[in-house]
């Protein structure tokens, strides 16, 4: 799908379809969403550039995603979105600047794009040219990334509370904490999902940061004008925002790693507790088993077999021999 946008009174408006072949001449932004071969050929013939295909975007190396060719700047960054079932989806998006026109090529639907279009329909204080729209679009992407990280941080905090116990109900006195009923396997799954999302988000922020650095290098080669100075200032702020978000993502990544170790430790503790119960049970029932096995031997001369009280005495001996190690373990604090 091809969408062309122009400017009117310092705000973004969707350009009407042109009468002849090509894109409208007053377009400042051409958004290609899952473009067909005909749409790619239309833009290429109108702007005189070679648009990379989806296969080329998938095969292109990360070190070769920023280059200049045919008087245009080609920049590719990985953008992330929450897809179905809240799963993270990362896909490359290409930004092309040719003269005063911005071309975006994407094969998924980051939420930042429609959010920016809705906001850009209102009067803007910034320059509504190709570079200005590109910076504004990246600002929207970074804002969306900040929202994603904030939500991931909340999920990590909730997982941390579940991991380290339920909140105690206070009514004047401290009550004992309730028995743990949290599904540790579910916690591991949640931690793994957020860890995967944070990893993709860091990769996205790094690619956007490299792209902004490339944009700054291009702007340094431009003739100094009011709009160029304004764009440089905005790119510096954008770069600082990306660095701060990358640091926050690293912090969340470390917290997720700590939670994963904590959950694995809790699983190990529960397993040790189960093994301890079986071990104590085996030791407790060992003396009664020994007494029963002694009096179960088929020897001809066993005086106790002729005692009238032999059977109840044997039962009492087995009970006593079971209680004695239990009390010993209890005194030692092993139970």
């Amino acid at each position: 799908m091809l969408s062309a946008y122009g400017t009117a009174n310092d705000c973004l408006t969707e350009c009407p379809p042109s009468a002849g072949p090509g894109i409208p001449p007053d377009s400042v932004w051409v958004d290609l969403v899952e473009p067909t071969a005909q749409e790619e050929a239309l833009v290429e013939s109108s702007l005189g550039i070679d648009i990379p295909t989806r296969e080329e975007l998938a095969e292109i190396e990360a070190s070769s995603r920023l280059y200049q060719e045919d008087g245009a700047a080609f920049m590719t960054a990985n953008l992330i979105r929450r897809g179905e079932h809240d799963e993270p989806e990362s896909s490359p998006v290409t930004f092309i600047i040719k003269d005063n026109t911005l071309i975006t090529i994407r094969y998924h639907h980051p939420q930042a794009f429609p959010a920016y279009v809705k906001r850009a329909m209102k009067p803007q204080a910034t320059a509504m040219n190709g570079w200005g729209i590109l910076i504004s679009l990246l600002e929207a992407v970074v804002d969306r990334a900040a929202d994603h990280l904030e939500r991931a941080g909340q999920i990590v905090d909730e997982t941390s509370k579940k991991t380290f116990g339920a909140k105690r109900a206070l009514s004047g006195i401290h009550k004992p904490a309730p028995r743990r009923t949290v599904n540790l396997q579910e916690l591991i799954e949640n931690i793994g999902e957020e860890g995967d999302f944070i990893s993709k988000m860091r990769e996205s922020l790094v690619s956007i940061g490299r792209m902004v650095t490339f944009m700054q290098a291009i702007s340094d080669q431009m003739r100094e004008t009011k709009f160029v100075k304004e764009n440089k200032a905005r790119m510096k702020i954008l770069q600082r925002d990306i660095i701060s978000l990358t640091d926050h993502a690293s912090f969340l990544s470390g917290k997720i790693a700590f939670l994963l170790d904590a959950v694995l430790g809790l699983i190990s503790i529960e397993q040790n507790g189960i093994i301890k119960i079986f071990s104590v049970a085996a030791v407790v029932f060992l003396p009664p088993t020994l007494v029963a096995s002694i009096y179960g031997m088929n020897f001809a001369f066993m005086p106790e077999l002729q005692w009238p009280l032999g059977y109840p005495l044997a039962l009492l001996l087995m009970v006593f021999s079971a209680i004695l190690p239990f009390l010993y373990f209890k005194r030692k604090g092993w139970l």
Side-chain angles (χ1 to χ4, degrees):
M1 182 180 67
L2 185 152
S3 300
Y5 299 91
T7 57
N9 299 325
D10 296 329
C11 65
L12 202 64
T13 59
E14 190 165 3
C15 296
S18 57
I23 61 175
D26 56 344
S27 301
V28 294
W29 179 23
V30 179
D31 187 23
L32 296 173
V33 183
E34 299 182 2
T36 63
Q38 293 78 7
E39 291 173 341
E40 291 183 357
L42 178 65
V43 176
E44 289 176 346
S45 61
S46 300
L47 299 178
I49 58 176
D50 184 16
I51 294 179
T53 62
R54 185 173 189 175
E55 291 74 16
E56 292 173 343
L57 288 179
E59 295 176 357
I60 190 171
E61 297 180 358
S63 59
S64 304
R65 292 186 172 186
L66 308 171
Y67 62 94
Q68 290 179 288
E69 185 179 80
D70 299 328
F74 293 77
M75 297 161 284
T76 302
N78 288 329
L79 301 189
I80 195 170
R81 69 182 293 269
R82 291 275 193 177
E84 296 182 359
H85 308 294
D86 217 25
E87 295 181 357
E89 297 177 359
S90 179
S91 180
V93 177
T94 297
F95 303 84
I96 305 173
I97 285 284
K98 177 66 179 292
D99 298 330
N100 194 40
T101 303
L102 168 66
I103 303 98
T104 55
I105 309 168
R106 54 194 176 98
Y107 294 90
H108 74 318
H109 304 272
Q111 293 89 340
F113 278 72
Y116 167 70
V117 171
K118 184 177 180 180
R119 186 173 70 244
M121 292 296 182
K122 303 175 182 179
Q124 303 291 314
T126 57
M128 296 299 291
N129 53 24
W131 283 100
I133 294 176
L134 173 58
I135 297 173
S136 298
L137 192 57
L138 291 180
E139 290 173 346
V141 170
V142 172
D143 289 342
R144 190 68 184 177
D147 295 338
H148 283 314
L149 288 177
E150 182 179 0
R151 182 183 176 189
Q154 293 175 353
I155 296 175
V156 170
D157 290 339
E158 293 174 359
T159 305
S160 178
K161 292 179 182 178
K162 292 179 181 179
T163 301
F164 296 109
K167 187 178 181 180
R168 294 186 178 184
L170 299 179
S171 58
I173 58 174
H174 290 278
K175 295 182 179 180
R179 181 180 178 85
R180 181 180 300 277
T181 58
V182 176
N183 188 339
L184 295 179
Q185 181 177 355
E186 181 181 352
L187 289 181
I188 289 183
E189 292 175 357
N190 293 339
I191 292 173
E193 290 176 0
E194 294 309 312
D196 180 50
F197 175 77
I198 295 298
S199 176
K200 286 183 170 61
M201 179 59 70
R202 290 180 64 187
E203 178 186 1
S204 175
L205 290 172
V206 169
S207 64
I208 297 173
R210 293 181 64 246
M211 178 177 165
V212 174
T213 302
F214 182 74
M215 292 166 57
Q216 289 174 330
I218 295 177
S219 65
D220 291 338
Q221 303 173 2
M222 296 180 179
R223 183 173 59 87
E224 287 290 337
T225 63
K226 177 183 177 181
F227 296 129
V228 172
K229 291 180 180 179
E230 176 187 350
N231 290 338
K232 285 184 178 181
R234 294 174 64 191
M235 283 188 286
K236 288 182 180 179
I237 297 175
L238 186 61
Q239 188 73 25
R240 287 197 295 266
D241 291 342
I242 293 172
I243 293 175
S244 64
L245 289 179
T246 303
D247 293 339
H248 185 57
S250 300
F251 164 74
L252 290 178
S253 180
K255 193 170 183 179
I256 288 174
F258 167 74
L259 284 178
L260 180 60
D261 292 340
V263 173
L264 293 178
L266 290 176
I267 293 176
S268 178
I269 290 174
E270 288 197 355
Q271 290 177 341
N272 291 337
I274 295 173
I275 296 301
K276 181 176 68 175
I277 292 174
F278 281 106
S279 300
V280 171
V283 174
V284 167
F285 286 103
L286 182 60
T289 303
L290 177 61
V291 174
S293 62
I294 290 175
Y295 288 105
M297 293 184 294
N298 296 320
F299 287 107
F301 182 75
M302 294 185 70
E304 296 87 347
L305 297 180
Q306 307 300 324
W307 294 354
L309 299 178
Y311 177 68
L313 287 176
L315 292 179
L316 290 176
L317 180 60
M318 286 188 286
V319 172
F320 179 76
S321 63
I323 294 176
L324 187 62
F326 177 80
L327 294 177
Y328 178 78
F329 291 154
K330 195 76 173 178
R331 184 178 180 182
K332 287 291 187 178
W334 296 345
L335 293 177

